[in-house]
Amino acid sequence: MEFFNRWSPKFFIRISPDTVEVHRNKSSVVWRDDAVIALSDGPKNKVLGIGAAARMAVSQNSGATLYWPFRHPRCLISDWLIAEVLLKSVLKEQIGKSWFALAPEITVHLCPAETQSIGGLTTVEYRAWSEALQHCGAKSVEFLRPMDFSDAQIQLLLNDPAQLEASIANNPSGR
């Protein structure tokens, strides 16, 4: 299966309580939007929009509700199922429609608010994130240590991880 790893899409996802940011390997396009999702009310919830589109969908549909799955006073994930739906929708949008799409490799940078990370993230939180992303179709999920990454470092991470390690060693502040 090593043969298919070459063409497997690679994503860098930065998650904070208010925003989600997605970088894709070999692309300079960055998708960044609010971490909010609009779902239709009823027995079968349907995604009506993500980010700014979610706010528009709620203003146009009376049977819609906004959800912020990453806002919780003590941890970065407040609703696991809705977080999974939001991430799955974002990844589906980024991968595009294809009858043959390889499972992506995902690197996650969790950026909790100061009150959410007192004492650091727990193994339970890392497992919740890992399982949510695997349910979204990820082949592998890797977490980065908490630090700020520049856009250039994110591209190095996606395209040449060994060169990123050298970049971090030379400039530990991340800028």
Side-chain angles (χ1 to χ4, degrees):
M1 287 307 194
E2 190 72 31
F3 176 75
F4 289 107
N5 287 347
R6 171 183 248 165
W7 292 287
S8 182
K10 294 174 179 57
F11 290 98
F12 174 87
I13 302 175
R14 181 178 288 147
I15 300 171
S16 69
D18 298 320
T19 60
V20 176
E21 181 178 312
V22 179
H23 297 256
R24 188 172 182 169
N25 67 328
K26 299 180 179 145
S27 174
S28 61
V29 177
V30 176
W31 182 90
R32 185 179 294 124
D33 211 337
D34 296 335
V36 61
I37 186 169
L39 299 175
S40 64
D41 294 333
K44 198 164 192 183
N45 290 344
K46 179 182 172 192
V47 176
L48 300 174
I50 300 169
R55 289 188 171 89
M56 289 290 284
V58 167
S59 68
Q60 295 172 352
N61 297 317
S62 61
T65 306
L66 281 178
Y67 295 95
W68 289 269
F70 310 136
R71 284 188 184 172
H72 188 275
R74 291 183 307 268
C75 76
L76 187 55
I77 192 165
S78 63
D79 191 318
W80 189 84
L81 289 174
I82 294 178
E84 180 184 325
V85 170
L86 186 144
L87 293 170
K88 191 180 288 188
S89 298
V90 168
L91 287 173
K92 185 188 281 186
E93 181 179 309
Q94 295 302 308
I95 292 172
K97 293 186 179 184
S98 172
W99 64 272
F100 181 73
L102 295 173
E105 297 174 13
I106 298 176
T107 303
V108 184
H109 184 215
L110 300 173
C111 303
E114 194 173 313
T115 58
Q116 294 173 322
S117 64
I118 296 172
L121 296 173
T122 66
T123 57
V124 174
E125 290 173 282
Y126 282 114
R127 182 171 180 176
W129 282 107
S130 180
E131 287 184 13
L133 288 162
Q134 287 172 351
H135 287 189
C136 292
K139 175 172 56 174
S140 65
V141 178
E142 183 180 333
F143 295 95
L144 293 179
R145 65 178 186 243
M147 69 178 275
D148 290 330
F149 288 93
S150 67
D151 287 346
Q153 287 178 322
I154 292 169
Q155 286 304 314
L156 282 175
L157 172 73
L158 292 169
N159 299 316
D160 190 1
Q163 194 173 354
L164 174 67
E165 289 298 325
S167 170
I168 291 173
N170 294 336
N171 187 6
S173 68
R175 294 279 174 206

mmCIF file of all heavy atoms in Angstrom, residues 10-13 25 106-109 142 144 149-165 168:
data_model
loop_
_atom_site.group_PDB
_atom_site.id
_atom_site.type_symbol
_atom_site.label_atom_id
_atom_site.label_comp_id
_atom_site.label_asym_id
_atom_site.label_seq_id
_atom_site.Cartn_x
_atom_site.Cartn_y
_atom_site.Cartn_z
ATOM 1 N N LYS A 10 -2.756 15.219 1.643
ATOM 2 C CA LYS A 10 -2.285 15.545 2.983
ATOM 3 C C LYS A 10 -2.865 16.895 3.374
ATOM 4 O O LYS A 10 -2.839 17.839 2.590
ATOM 5 C CB LYS A 10 -0.759 15.581 3.011
ATOM 6 C CG LYS A 10 -0.114 14.239 2.773
ATOM 7 C CD LYS A 10 1.385 14.367 2.669
ATOM 8 C CE LYS A 10 2.063 13.046 2.451
ATOM 9 N NZ LYS A 10 1.644 12.315 1.301
ATOM 10 N N PHE A 11 -3.397 16.951 4.578
ATOM 11 C CA PHE A 11 -4.013 18.177 5.065
ATOM 12 C C PHE A 11 -3.398 18.579 6.392
ATOM 13 O O PHE A 11 -3.033 17.734 7.200
ATOM 14 C CB PHE A 11 -5.521 17.990 5.283
ATOM 15 C CG PHE A 11 -6.309 17.849 4.033
ATOM 16 C CD1 PHE A 11 -6.678 16.604 3.570
ATOM 17 C CD2 PHE A 11 -6.698 18.965 3.314
ATOM 18 C CE1 PHE A 11 -7.409 16.471 2.413
ATOM 19 C CE2 PHE A 11 -7.432 18.842 2.158
ATOM 20 C CZ PHE A 11 -7.794 17.593 1.704
ATOM 21 N N PHE A 12 -3.301 19.889 6.596
ATOM 22 C CA PHE A 12 -2.941 20.476 7.881
ATOM 23 C C PHE A 12 -4.192 21.213 8.342
ATOM 24 O O PHE A 12 -4.710 22.073 7.627
ATOM 25 C CB PHE A 12 -1.776 21.452 7.727
ATOM 26 C CG PHE A 12 -1.459 22.203 8.991
ATOM 27 C CD1 PHE A 12 -0.598 21.671 9.929
ATOM 28 C CD2 PHE A 12 -2.029 23.442 9.239
ATOM 29 C CE1 PHE A 12 -0.308 22.362 11.098
ATOM 30 C CE2 PHE A 12 -1.745 24.140 10.401
ATOM 31 C CZ PHE A 12 -0.877 23.586 11.330
ATOM 32 N N ILE A 13 -4.694 20.847 9.522
ATOM 33 C CA ILE A 13 -5.913 21.485 10.046
ATOM 34 C C ILE A 13 -5.581 22.144 11.369
ATOM 35 O O ILE A 13 -5.084 21.491 12.293
ATOM 36 C CB ILE A 13 -7.053 20.462 10.236
ATOM 37 C CG1 ILE A 13 -7.377 19.773 8.912
ATOM 38 C CG2 ILE A 13 -8.278 21.131 10.820
ATOM 39 C CD1 ILE A 13 -8.411 18.671 9.022
ATOM 40 N N ASN A 25 -1.675 19.930 0.819
ATOM 41 C CA ASN A 25 -0.344 19.848 0.219
ATOM 42 C C ASN A 25 -0.399 20.232 -1.259
ATOM 43 O O ASN A 25 -1.410 20.052 -1.929
ATOM 44 C CB ASN A 25 0.268 18.457 0.401
ATOM 45 C CG ASN A 25 -0.464 17.376 -0.363
ATOM 46 O OD1 ASN A 25 -1.670 17.424 -0.552
ATOM 47 N ND2 ASN A 25 0.277 16.372 -0.784
ATOM 48 N N ILE A 106 -3.830 13.429 7.801
ATOM 49 C CA ILE A 106 -4.157 14.709 8.430
ATOM 50 C C ILE A 106 -3.213 14.998 9.582
ATOM 51 O O ILE A 106 -2.980 14.147 10.444
ATOM 52 C CB ILE A 106 -5.620 14.717 8.922
ATOM 53 C CG1 ILE A 106 -6.558 14.544 7.734
ATOM 54 C CG2 ILE A 106 -5.925 15.991 9.682
ATOM 55 C CD1 ILE A 106 -8.011 14.439 8.094
ATOM 56 N N THR A 107 -2.681 16.210 9.578
ATOM 57 C CA THR A 107 -1.892 16.717 10.691
ATOM 58 C C THR A 107 -2.733 17.800 11.357
ATOM 59 O O THR A 107 -3.227 18.702 10.690
ATOM 60 C CB THR A 107 -0.557 17.308 10.204
ATOM 61 O OG1 THR A 107 0.149 16.290 9.484
ATOM 62 C CG2 THR A 107 0.284 17.778 11.368
ATOM 63 N N VAL A 108 -2.909 17.687 12.660
ATOM 64 C CA VAL A 108 -3.804 18.584 13.395
ATOM 65 C C VAL A 108 -3.006 19.448 14.361
ATOM 66 O O VAL A 108 -2.133 18.962 15.079
ATOM 67 C CB VAL A 108 -4.855 17.771 14.192
ATOM 68 C CG1 VAL A 108 -5.839 18.693 14.883
ATOM 69 C CG2 VAL A 108 -5.581 16.798 13.301
ATOM 70 N N HIS A 109 -3.337 20.725 14.362
ATOM 71 C CA HIS A 109 -2.758 21.669 15.309
ATOM 72 C C HIS A 109 -3.916 22.213 16.134
ATOM 73 O O HIS A 109 -4.710 23.016 15.649
ATOM 74 C CB HIS A 109 -2.044 22.789 14.553
ATOM 75 C CG HIS A 109 -1.333 23.751 15.436
ATOM 76 N ND1 HIS A 109 -1.247 25.075 15.149
ATOM 77 C CD2 HIS A 109 -0.668 23.584 16.607
ATOM 78 C CE1 HIS A 109 -0.567 25.689 16.094
ATOM 79 N NE2 HIS A 109 -0.209 24.799 16.986
ATOM 80 N N GLU A 142 -2.139 12.881 12.900
ATOM 81 C CA GLU A 142 -0.949 13.207 13.695
ATOM 82 C C GLU A 142 -1.177 14.565 14.343
ATOM 83 O O GLU A 142 -1.720 15.478 13.719
ATOM 84 C CB GLU A 142 0.275 13.260 12.785
ATOM 85 C CG GLU A 142 1.563 13.526 13.514
ATOM 86 C CD GLU A 142 2.751 13.556 12.558
ATOM 87 O OE1 GLU A 142 2.706 12.911 11.509
ATOM 88 O OE2 GLU A 142 3.718 14.266 12.902
ATOM 89 N N LEU A 144 0.393 17.984 16.314
ATOM 90 C CA LEU A 144 1.595 18.795 16.489
ATOM 91 C C LEU A 144 1.611 19.380 17.878
ATOM 92 O O LEU A 144 0.562 19.681 18.457
ATOM 93 C CB LEU A 144 1.634 19.922 15.464
ATOM 94 C CG LEU A 144 1.805 19.484 14.018
ATOM 95 C CD1 LEU A 144 1.803 20.698 13.110
ATOM 96 C CD2 LEU A 144 3.094 18.720 13.844
ATOM 97 N N PHE A 149 2.723 28.152 13.892
ATOM 98 C CA PHE A 149 3.397 27.806 12.648
ATOM 99 C C PHE A 149 3.089 28.871 11.613
ATOM 100 O O PHE A 149 1.946 29.293 11.461
ATOM 101 C CB PHE A 149 2.907 26.453 12.109
ATOM 102 C CG PHE A 149 3.383 25.287 12.910
ATOM 103 C CD1 PHE A 149 2.623 24.772 13.942
ATOM 104 C CD2 PHE A 149 4.613 24.704 12.638
ATOM 105 C CE1 PHE A 149 3.059 23.703 14.683
ATOM 106 C CE2 PHE A 149 5.061 23.631 13.385
ATOM 107 C CZ PHE A 149 4.290 23.124 14.412
ATOM 108 N N SER A 150 4.111 29.280 10.882
ATOM 109 C CA SER A 150 3.896 30.219 9.782
ATOM 110 C C SER A 150 3.352 29.443 8.583
ATOM 111 O O SER A 150 3.431 28.215 8.531
ATOM 112 C CB SER A 150 5.211 30.902 9.402
ATOM 113 O OG SER A 150 6.098 29.962 8.841
ATOM 114 N N ASP A 151 2.783 30.150 7.610
ATOM 115 C CA ASP A 151 2.268 29.496 6.407
ATOM 116 C C ASP A 151 3.374 28.756 5.676
ATOM 117 O O ASP A 151 3.163 27.671 5.130
ATOM 118 C CB ASP A 151 1.591 30.514 5.476
ATOM 119 C CG ASP A 151 0.249 30.982 6.010
ATOM 120 O OD1 ASP A 151 -0.277 30.337 6.945
ATOM 121 O OD2 ASP A 151 -0.281 31.975 5.482
ATOM 122 N N ALA A 152 4.595 29.320 5.646
ATOM 123 C CA ALA A 152 5.717 28.656 4.979
ATOM 124 C C ALA A 152 6.060 27.346 5.690
ATOM 125 O O ALA A 152 6.347 26.338 5.043
ATOM 126 C CB ALA A 152 6.936 29.580 4.964
ATOM 127 N N GLN A 153 6.014 27.340 7.016
ATOM 128 C CA GLN A 153 6.290 26.120 7.762
ATOM 129 C C GLN A 153 5.210 25.071 7.536
ATOM 130 O O GLN A 153 5.491 23.881 7.479
ATOM 131 C CB GLN A 153 6.447 26.413 9.249
ATOM 132 C CG GLN A 153 7.747 27.111 9.582
ATOM 133 C CD GLN A 153 7.860 27.428 11.053
ATOM 134 O OE1 GLN A 153 6.876 27.783 11.694
ATOM 135 N NE2 GLN A 153 9.062 27.317 11.596
ATOM 136 N N ILE A 154 3.961 25.494 7.384
ATOM 137 C CA ILE A 154 2.878 24.548 7.110
ATOM 138 C C ILE A 154 3.104 23.880 5.755
ATOM 139 O O ILE A 154 2.945 22.669 5.608
ATOM 140 C CB ILE A 154 1.506 25.253 7.161
ATOM 141 C CG1 ILE A 154 1.200 25.673 8.603
ATOM 142 C CG2 ILE A 154 0.407 24.343 6.627
ATOM 143 C CD1 ILE A 154 0.022 26.595 8.743
ATOM 144 N N GLN A 155 3.510 24.655 4.742
ATOM 145 C CA GLN A 155 3.790 24.065 3.425
ATOM 146 C C GLN A 155 4.961 23.086 3.507
ATOM 147 O O GLN A 155 4.936 22.037 2.873
ATOM 148 C CB GLN A 155 4.060 25.161 2.389
ATOM 149 C CG GLN A 155 2.816 25.894 1.954
ATOM 150 C CD GLN A 155 1.744 24.965 1.417
ATOM 151 O OE1 GLN A 155 2.005 24.078 0.617
ATOM 152 N NE2 GLN A 155 0.526 25.157 1.873
ATOM 153 N N LEU A 156 5.996 23.418 4.296
ATOM 154 C CA LEU A 156 7.111 22.483 4.494
ATOM 155 C C LEU A 156 6.618 21.199 5.149
ATOM 156 O O LEU A 156 7.029 20.098 4.770
ATOM 157 C CB LEU A 156 8.204 23.109 5.351
ATOM 158 C CG LEU A 156 9.145 24.095 4.688
ATOM 159 C CD1 LEU A 156 10.082 24.704 5.720
ATOM 160 C CD2 LEU A 156 9.932 23.423 3.587
ATOM 161 N N LEU A 157 5.753 21.330 6.145
ATOM 162 C CA LEU A 157 5.214 20.176 6.844
ATOM 163 C C LEU A 157 4.474 19.258 5.884
ATOM 164 O O LEU A 157 4.635 18.044 5.916
ATOM 165 C CB LEU A 157 4.276 20.631 7.963
ATOM 166 C CG LEU A 157 3.491 19.520 8.643
ATOM 167 C CD1 LEU A 157 4.422 18.728 9.533
ATOM 168 C CD2 LEU A 157 2.354 20.089 9.437
ATOM 169 N N LEU A 158 3.674 19.839 5.005
ATOM 170 C CA LEU A 158 2.891 19.045 4.073
ATOM 171 C C LEU A 158 3.744 18.420 2.973
ATOM 172 O O LEU A 158 3.454 17.323 2.514
ATOM 173 C CB LEU A 158 1.788 19.903 3.453
ATOM 174 C CG LEU A 158 0.686 20.343 4.411
ATOM 175 C CD1 LEU A 158 -0.189 21.396 3.768
ATOM 176 C CD2 LEU A 158 -0.141 19.151 4.851
ATOM 177 N N ASN A 159 4.781 19.105 2.529
ATOM 178 C CA ASN A 159 5.558 18.641 1.381
ATOM 179 C C ASN A 159 6.905 18.022 1.731
ATOM 180 O O ASN A 159 7.378 17.143 1.030
ATOM 181 C CB ASN A 159 5.757 19.799 0.394
ATOM 182 C CG ASN A 159 4.430 20.296 -0.122
ATOM 183 O OD1 ASN A 159 3.565 19.515 -0.466
ATOM 184 N ND2 ASN A 159 4.256 21.606 -0.143
ATOM 185 N N ASP A 160 7.558 18.488 2.812
ATOM 186 C CA ASP A 160 8.874 17.975 3.179
ATOM 187 C C ASP A 160 9.069 18.075 4.696
ATOM 188 O O ASP A 160 9.696 19.009 5.196
ATOM 189 C CB ASP A 160 9.959 18.762 2.440
ATOM 190 C CG ASP A 160 11.339 18.137 2.582
ATOM 191 O OD1 ASP A 160 11.451 17.080 3.235
ATOM 192 O OD2 ASP A 160 12.293 18.716 2.049
ATOM 193 N N PRO A 161 8.525 17.103 5.461
ATOM 194 C CA PRO A 161 8.593 17.178 6.926
ATOM 195 C C PRO A 161 10.011 17.258 7.486
ATOM 196 O O PRO A 161 10.228 17.890 8.504
ATOM 197 C CB PRO A 161 7.899 15.893 7.376
ATOM 198 C CG PRO A 161 7.055 15.485 6.226
ATOM 199 C CD PRO A 161 7.763 15.954 5.000
ATOM 200 N N ALA A 162 10.985 16.635 6.829
ATOM 201 C CA ALA A 162 12.362 16.679 7.340
ATOM 202 C C ALA A 162 12.907 18.098 7.322
ATOM 203 O O ALA A 162 13.613 18.523 8.238
ATOM 204 C CB ALA A 162 13.250 15.756 6.510
ATOM 205 N N GLN A 163 12.563 18.850 6.294
ATOM 206 C CA GLN A 163 13.025 20.234 6.193
ATOM 207 C C GLN A 163 12.349 21.103 7.256
ATOM 208 O O GLN A 163 12.941 22.044 7.762
ATOM 209 C CB GLN A 163 12.745 20.777 4.797
ATOM 210 C CG GLN A 163 13.479 22.054 4.494
ATOM 211 C CD GLN A 163 13.312 22.470 3.045
ATOM 212 O OE1 GLN A 163 12.740 21.766 2.237
ATOM 213 N NE2 GLN A 163 13.819 23.642 2.731
ATOM 214 N N LEU A 164 11.109 20.765 7.632
ATOM 215 C CA LEU A 164 10.421 21.512 8.693
ATOM 216 C C LEU A 164 11.158 21.353 10.012
ATOM 217 O O LEU A 164 11.326 22.320 10.744
ATOM 218 C CB LEU A 164 8.975 21.056 8.847
ATOM 219 C CG LEU A 164 8.236 21.681 10.027
ATOM 220 C CD1 LEU A 164 8.039 23.176 9.797
ATOM 221 C CD2 LEU A 164 6.928 20.999 10.276
ATOM 222 N N GLU A 165 11.608 20.139 10.334
ATOM 223 C CA GLU A 165 12.340 19.917 11.585
ATOM 224 C C GLU A 165 13.576 20.802 11.644
ATOM 225 O O GLU A 165 13.887 21.381 12.674
ATOM 226 C CB GLU A 165 12.722 18.440 11.728
ATOM 227 C CG GLU A 165 11.548 17.530 12.000
ATOM 228 C CD GLU A 165 10.846 17.843 13.308
ATOM 229 O OE1 GLU A 165 11.507 18.235 14.292
ATOM 230 O OE2 GLU A 165 9.613 17.711 13.339
ATOM 231 N N ILE A 168 12.447 24.403 12.352
ATOM 232 C CA ILE A 168 12.069 24.610 13.759
ATOM 233 C C ILE A 168 13.316 24.651 14.634
ATOM 234 O O ILE A 168 13.402 25.453 15.555
ATOM 235 C CB ILE A 168 11.075 23.519 14.217
ATOM 236 C CG1 ILE A 168 9.739 23.703 13.517
ATOM 237 C CG2 ILE A 168 10.906 23.552 15.722
ATOM 238 C CD1 ILE A 168 8.749 22.606 13.759
#
